[in-house]
Amino acid sequence: MFIEVLAILISLGLLMFLAYRGFPVIVIAPLVTLLAVALSGAALLPSYTEVYMPNLSNYIKTWFPIFILGAVFGKLMELNGATTAIAKQIMNIFGIKRALLATILACSILTYGGVSLFVVVFAVYPFAAAVFREAGIPKRFIPAVIVLGGCTYTMDAFPGTPQIQNIIPTNYFGTDAYAAPITGLVAGSVIFLLGYLWLSRRVNKANLAGEGYGEGHTNEPVINPDEKVINFWLAIIPLAVVVILNFVFTKTSLAVSHWYAPELLQETFNIQNLSSLSSTWALIVALVVGIIAALLINIKSFTASKLSSGLTIAASGSLLAVFNVASEVGFGNVVKTLPGFEVVRNAITGVSSHPLISESIAVNVLAGVVGSSSGGMSIALEVMGQHYLDLANSMGIDPEYLHRIASMSAGGLDSLPHSGATITILVICGLTHRQAYGDIFAITIMKALVAFSTAVILSLFV
């Protein structure tokens, strides 16, 4: 059994190492999967064609609409000038003295409105750099500020956020995007407060030392102060459309769960559990209407070539993203069929008999290992989601708590140094790990601790 367990650990470690070195997950995930199978002495080809590929395909079938629509929505918001208008207006409202808070809120509003993190970074960074320079705040704090505003409470803690990290658990626990709203709001507010206090203290310390913005930085943005941007109130319409319609189609009498007769869904489409699909359907409709709104608010800005190239970039990015995560899901599903997995699962679940605590640890660790919040959570829930659900039901625990803890835990250690999001943010900001990662790590650890503490507190009362 030692060899079987070692096979899983070696393959998992190799996946993390190669991802950190920049190798594409789409290529390396099936290779390390087959390595784990070979070392375990299991059937190689059946594991690949009958376990890995079907689970990869199922993930793409379930989540590709969200990935592609989210990417298109974010790209159109970038091309029509809406993200720039929103970021600039927030900076203007709060002023130079509150540059730190303004940058955090700009990221938060955009991500909670459904804009992808990568689009947010491109939109916010130029203005953050400008106001940080004017305020004398070291540039090295910008990545951590973006991580706090875009990768924490608005990504997975606040109820209703349309980010994929908040939607994935709905497929495993029969919940919706608004699961455990009070828990999410309280924990998210704590994350914001701790992160803001940490960064404020760090900035004040740097200012007392006379550090300043710094010189000789790379990838410094050039902003034309006379550049015309669209009206702020016009720019936020698509964001408001996505947030409001997502709620309407999830929680009201107009919810998508009421659109079709149960007999039609069961007999024609073999849909037995509508709750696992309704959140996805609601977000699909909300994003489609949001895309239309993003086109209409500044339709004169779109030429045929500009729209074509923008959609191509969005489609390419969404394909890469969904295949990366799906490859990791395929890996996780093969691993759970191997002889040594029972030992690994018992080790993780054995840390605590309470499903919320065990789930928080499992999701956080796997998100850190693969460097992806959605990837780590998908692996954890594919492998142990049903176990946690059965255990929660037997203990009378509302599955909504499982949803919120899984979602929040995914957005913790996923920002370790090898994370694709971390690397991308640093590259866009023109900074290195040595210059800026320390504060990203601090925010990451705070987020992980808040998620785990929330699980522990809930375990005492639910």
Side-chain angles (χ1 to χ4, degrees), residues 22-334:
F23 287 86
V25 173
I26 295 175
V27 176
I28 63 175
L31 295 179
V32 298
T33 300
L34 295 177
L35 174 64
V37 173
L39 293 177
S40 299
L44 201 64
L45 291 178
S47 295
Y48 179 69
T49 61
E50 304 307 310
V51 181
Y52 182 89
M53 287 306 301
N55 282 284
L56 178 148
S57 303
N58 286 337
Y59 185 89
I60 293 173
K61 176 184 76 71
T62 302
W63 300 115
F64 181 66
I66 304 300
F67 275 85
I68 182 67
L69 291 173
V72 169
F73 176 70
K75 193 63 181 176
L76 293 180
M77 289 289 286
E78 175 191 347
L79 294 177
N80 68 11
T83 51
T84 299
I86 293 169
K88 191 171 184 178
Q89 180 66 19
I90 292 172
M91 299 296 183
N92 291 337
I93 290 173
F94 285 90
I96 298 302
K97 292 183 179 180
R98 296 183 179 85
L100 191 67
L101 180 61
T103 308
I104 293 171
L105 292 179
C107 294
S108 299
I109 290 172
L110 291 171
T111 51
Y112 195 73
V115 179
S116 72
L117 170 65
F118 300 105
V119 174
V120 170
V121 179
F122 279 110
V124 172
Y125 167 60
F127 297 99
V131 295
F132 272 42
R133 177 183 288 278
E134 189 171 344
I137 301 175
K139 181 183 179 181
R140 61 188 175 90
F141 293 117
I142 293 178
V145 169
I146 292 174
V147 167
L148 175 61
C151 303
T152 57
Y153 51 93
T154 55
M155 184 179 80
D156 52 45
F158 283 0
T161 174
Q163 299 296 330
I164 190 70
Q165 292 81 0
N166 187 45
I167 304 301
I168 288 175
T170 64
N171 201 45
Y172 299 91
F173 303 131
T175 51
D176 58 47
Y178 296 87
I182 296 176
T183 299
L185 285 171
V186 172
S189 299
V190 171
I191 294 166
F192 165 76
L193 182 61
L194 291 176
Y196 181 65
L197 291 175
W198 170 268
L199 289 172
S200 296
R201 176 177 173 275
R202 293 279 291 156
V203 168
N204 290 335
K205 185 177 180 181
N207 288 340
L208 289 175
E211 182 176 342
Y213 181 79
E215 300 296 335
H217 294 300
T218 60
N219 200 28
E220 281 294 280
V222 178
I223 297 180
N224 178 9
D226 299 322
E227 180 184 3
K228 292 184 178 180
V229 296
I230 64 174
N231 181 271
F232 169 76
W233 297 107
L234 196 63
I236 65 173
I237 289 175
L239 299 183
V241 164
V242 172
V243 172
I244 293 171
L245 290 186
N246 188 35
F247 177 83
V248 169
F249 296 143
T250 301
K251 287 293 192 180
T252 70
S253 59
L254 297 176
V256 292
S257 57
H258 305 317
W259 289 12
Y260 308 100
E263 297 78 13
L264 171 69
L265 298 177
Q266 292 173 7
E267 296 173 6
T268 306
F269 299 99
N270 195 30
I271 297 175
Q272 305 299 324
N273 183 15
L274 182 58
S275 61
S276 65
L277 291 172
S278 55
S279 291
T280 304
W281 287 357
L283 185 53
I284 286 174
V285 178
L287 283 171
V288 168
V289 180
I291 287 170
I292 295 171
L295 281 169
L296 294 179
I297 63 170
N298 194 15
I299 196 167
K300 293 181 180 179
S301 67
F302 293 104
T303 62
S305 60
K306 183 179 181 180
L307 185 59
S308 174
S309 61
L311 292 177
T312 299
I313 293 171
S316 299
S318 64
L319 281 170
L320 180 61
V322 75
F323 267 93
N324 275 338
V325 180
S327 298
E328 293 167 346
V329 170
F331 167 80
N333 276 276
V334 171

